[in-house]
């Protein structure tokens, strides 16, 4: 079976049964060999339909007599695929989108409903010819943005509280685009110029990234990333630009002991070891052994000797108390800064899961701050844009731990661009064109144990 739309339908069925979108997609991709344009179409259809689910359901509610949740699940998925192509895939002719969707309905148990599918899609096309926006939007402004950009209302509300209407809309738009890929060059194995040249030799265009001397952004599609020149040799790792900033905020020095308390799969641990010239001790701790194996593989590929592994819950690793010159807590979080990378994440997180994470983050920072020697540094980072997991965790920590204070970036540091008056750093994706991130550097005073 080599029909990209049928394969997308199969993957989406798994997603609607609870599978992660990337896992479901990889599973179907492994079973077939598709030409690269079909692979791209399949990926776009799966991630796009999941990401735009709320908008597509609102269209079903508008165009069909039965609401989306009254439709059979498989039929809902088929209509999503058709509407997604009509609304978001300008390169696909409308007739092709309709005919292939009707065919999907016929071949997947809905031969009696092909007229309904055809009629619904054609009605959408007709509306689009008459109106600039065929989708009917509600009066309530939060719901309006939620339906137009396909986000749950609670996420819209969190961003509105911080950004206001115009920027929330820009952020929603940004989060609906296909993510870019950034590389971090390993200066112990190659120079940035060598990596640019090696990638250029196979037709991959790159551009450098402001403030990050070892970052390259890939332009256009690349195929399997692990097949690109320099990967096997350990010349570079995949790491988003904003995640690379974290290493510079920590600023580890050769010969130090650094503890990365939530380390797997090791993007930041390996960056720390590279920044230290691979001299010193870099501990990668994590409670998930399978993810730590990835860290080990990455460290080996990058030829790093200074990385050591510790499996366990970082809330209970007293052997590290007062051992770290620097500690990184890259905390588990709701990932609201990376929603463009995980199509289904916006539907998985809830206000309740954010509260649970906030509790875990508060416990983690209280315990891992004990790993820091007097006078040492702790960097707290997350890839979320929710104040309950960021500003509130830090404010509470500082109230309860009077021997700690925020160390903002110096005025001549490039990091100052991301700094707020409170001294923490916040990357807003629609402003900086990189993943959303929160980081803060905290220093423990010298006269405490
Ligand atoms: C944001 S990810 C870390 C990403 C990693 N720093 C990187 O750059 O590749 C958070 C990690 O925290 C780990 N984790 C969650 N709770 C933990 C705990 N109580 N103790 C240790 N690790 C934990 C998860 O297994 C996950 O790997």
């Amino acid at each position: 079976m080599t029909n990209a739309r049928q394969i997308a339908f199969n993957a989406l069925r798994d997603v609607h049964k609870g599978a992660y979108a990337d896992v479901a997609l990889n599973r179907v991709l492994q079973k077939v060999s598709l030409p690269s344009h079909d692979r791209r179409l399949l990926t776009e259809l799966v991630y796009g339909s999941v990401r735009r689910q709320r908008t597509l359901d609102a269209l079903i509610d508008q165009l069909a007599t039965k609401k989306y949740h009254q439709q059979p699940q498989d039929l809902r998925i088929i209509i999503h695929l058709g509407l997604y192509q009509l609304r978001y895939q300008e390169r696909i002719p409308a007739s092709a989108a309709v005919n292939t969707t009707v065919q999907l309905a016929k071949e997947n148990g809905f031969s009696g409903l092909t007229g309904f599918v055809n009629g619904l899609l054609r009605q959408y096309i007709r509306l689009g010819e008459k109106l600039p926006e065929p989708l009917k939007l509600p009066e309530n402004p939060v719901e309006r943005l939620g339906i137009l950009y396909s986000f749950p209302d609670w996420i819209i509300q969190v961003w509105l509280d911080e950004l206001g209407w115009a920027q929330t809309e820009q952020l929603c738009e940004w989060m609906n685009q296909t993510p870019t890929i950034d590389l971090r060059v390993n200066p112990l194995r190659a120079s940035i110029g060598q990596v640019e040249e090696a990638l250029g030799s196979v037709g991959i265009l790159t551009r450098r990234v402001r403030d990050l001397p070892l970052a390259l952004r890939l332009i256009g599609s690349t195929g399997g990333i692990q097949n690109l020149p320099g990967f096997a040799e350990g010349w570079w790792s995949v790491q988003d630009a904003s995640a690379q900033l974290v290493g510079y905020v920590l600023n580890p020095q050769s010969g130090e002991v650094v503890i990365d308390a939530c380390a797997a799969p090791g993007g930041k641990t390996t960056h720390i070891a590279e920044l230290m010239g691979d001299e010193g001790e870099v501990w990668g701790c994590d409670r998930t052994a399978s993810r730590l194996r990835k860290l080990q593989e990455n460290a080996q590929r990058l030829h790093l000797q200074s990385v050591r592994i510790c499996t366990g819950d970082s809330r209970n690793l007293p052997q590290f108390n007062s051992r770290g010159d620097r500690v990184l807590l890259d905390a588990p979080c709701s990932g609201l800064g990376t929603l463009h990378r995980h199509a289904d994440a916006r539907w998985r997180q809830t206000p309740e899961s954010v509260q649970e994470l906030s509790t875990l983050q508060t416990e983690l920072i209280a315990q891992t701050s004990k790993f820091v020697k007097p006078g040492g540094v702790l960097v707290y980072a997350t890839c979320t844009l929710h104040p309950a997991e960021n500003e509130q965790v830090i404010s509470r920590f500082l109230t309860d731990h009077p021997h700690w204070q925020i160390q903002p970036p110096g005025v001549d540091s490039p990091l100052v661009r991301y700094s707020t008056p409170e001294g923490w750093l916040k990357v807003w994706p629609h402003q900086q064109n990189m993943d959303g991130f929160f980081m803060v550097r905290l220093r423990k005073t010298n006269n405490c144990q």
Side-chain angles (χ1 to χ4, degrees), residues 239 243 260-269 285-288 291 312-315 328 330-333 360 364 383:
Q239 189 178 44
D260 185 353
C262 288
K268 299 185 189 69
T269 321
C285 311
D286 204 283
R287 71 173 172 194
T288 312
R291 285 168 64 84
D313 189 321
S314 290
R315 289 170 294 181
L328 172 61
D330 185 28
C333 71
L360 173 60
L364 277 165
C383 64

Side-chain angles (χ1 to χ4, degrees), residues 245-296:
L245 287 172
V246 177
Y248 296 102
V249 177
L250 188 69
N251 192 23
Q253 303 296 310
S254 296
E256 288 184 337
V257 175
V258 179
I259 301 158
D260 185 353
C262 288
K268 299 185 189 69
T269 321
T270 51
H271 191 199
I272 292 166
E274 288 166 10
L275 289 170
M276 290 164 65
D278 205 21
E279 283 173 20
E281 270 177 53
V282 184
W283 282 93
C285 311
D286 204 283
R287 71 173 172 194
T288 312
S290 57
R291 285 168 64 84
L292 276 173
R293 276 196 289 281
K294 288 260 175 250
L295 194 166
Q296 198 132 33

Side-chain angles (χ1 to χ4, degrees), residues 59-357:
L59 280 170
I60 297 180
D61 286 357
Q62 180 185 325
L63 300 170
T65 333
K66 282 190 189 168
K67 299 286 179 207
Y68 80 84
H69 55 85
Q70 297 167 315
Q71 305 287 347
Q73 185 69 275
D74 285 358
L75 186 63
R76 176 180 167 218
I77 295 171
I78 291 169
I79 301 172
H80 280 178
L81 281 166
L83 287 171
Y84 181 76
Q85 294 169 73
L86 289 177
R87 191 171 168 85
Y88 301 109
Q89 291 291 290
E90 279 164 15
R91 281 169 307 173
I92 299 179
S95 56
V98 174
N99 295 342
T100 52
T101 308
V102 167
Q103 191 63 23
L104 262 189
K106 198 185 279 175
E107 286 170 7
N108 290 281
F110 299 103
S111 46
L113 290 172
T114 51
F116 162 70
V117 172
N118 186 45
L120 185 148
L121 297 180
R122 291 198 184 277
Q123 197 188 338
Y124 178 76
I125 296 171
R126 277 196 299 278
L127 280 176
E129 285 163 355
K130 280 196 277 179
L131 303 167
E133 174 49 273
L135 171 66
K136 264 195 223 146
L137 291 166
E139 289 291 312
N140 177 309
V142 173
E143 255 185 83
R144 209 177 160 82
L145 280 193
I147 289 177
L148 185 59
Y149 292 102
S150 193
F151 286 88
D153 288 349
W154 71 270
I155 295 184
I156 299 281
Q157 192 61 60
V158 169
W159 291 343
L160 269 179
D161 291 345
E162 291 210 49
L163 293 172
W165 292 102
Q167 287 206 54
T168 298
E169 196 158 358
Q170 287 167 21
L171 180 56
C172 289
E173 222 163 295
W174 196 94
M175 286 293 182
N176 280 337
Q177 56 177 359
T178 305
T180 47
I181 299 176
D182 295 337
L183 307 186
R184 184 193 78 227
V185 174
N186 173 6
L188 309 178
R189 310 298 296 180
S191 69
I192 189 161
Q194 265 175 304
V195 175
E196 280 170 322
E197 206 178 305
L199 293 171
S201 73
V202 293
I204 305 282
L205 296 178
T206 56
R207 71 172 173 76
R208 296 199 181 191
V209 183
R210 184 177 65 174
D211 302 332
L212 290 164
L214 295 171
L216 286 175
R217 179 154 293 182
L218 304 185
I219 300 166
S221 61
T222 57
I225 199 91
Q226 305 194 344
N227 303 324
L228 294 182
F231 178 79
E233 294 79 7
W235 286 13
W236 50 264
S237 305
V238 174
Q239 189 178 44
D240 187 76
S242 56
Q244 296 186 38
L245 287 172
V246 177
Y248 296 102
V249 177
L250 188 69
N251 192 23
Q253 303 296 310
S254 296
E256 288 184 337
V257 175
V258 179
I259 301 158
D260 185 353
C262 288
K268 299 185 189 69
T269 321
T270 51
H271 191 199
I272 292 166
E274 288 166 10
L275 289 170
M276 290 164 65
D278 205 21
E279 283 173 20
E281 270 177 53
V282 184
W283 282 93
C285 311
D286 204 283
R287 71 173 172 194
T288 312
S290 57
R291 285 168 64 84
L292 276 173
R293 276 196 289 281
K294 288 260 175 250
L295 194 166
Q296 198 132 33
E297 278 167 31
N298 283 327
Q300 270 165 10
R301 184 179 58 81
L302 295 162
H303 301 267
L304 296 168
Q305 309 292 323
S306 57
V307 173
R308 314 207 181 338
I309 303 280
C310 169
T311 313
D313 189 321
S314 290
R315 289 170 294 181
N316 187 21
L317 297 176
Q319 66 270 36
F320 287 118
N321 285 354
S322 297
R323 278 197 58 196
D325 295 292
R326 294 169 207 257
V327 170
L328 172 61
L329 175 56
D330 185 28
C333 71
S334 59
L336 299 194
T338 54
L339 293 178
H340 57 313
R341 295 196 184 279
H342 309 285
D344 44 359
R346 66 188 74 181
W347 312 123
R348 290 184 183 278
Q349 295 298 340
T350 60
E352 293 72 36
S353 64
V354 167
Q355 275 322 310
E356 280 166 29
L357 283 161

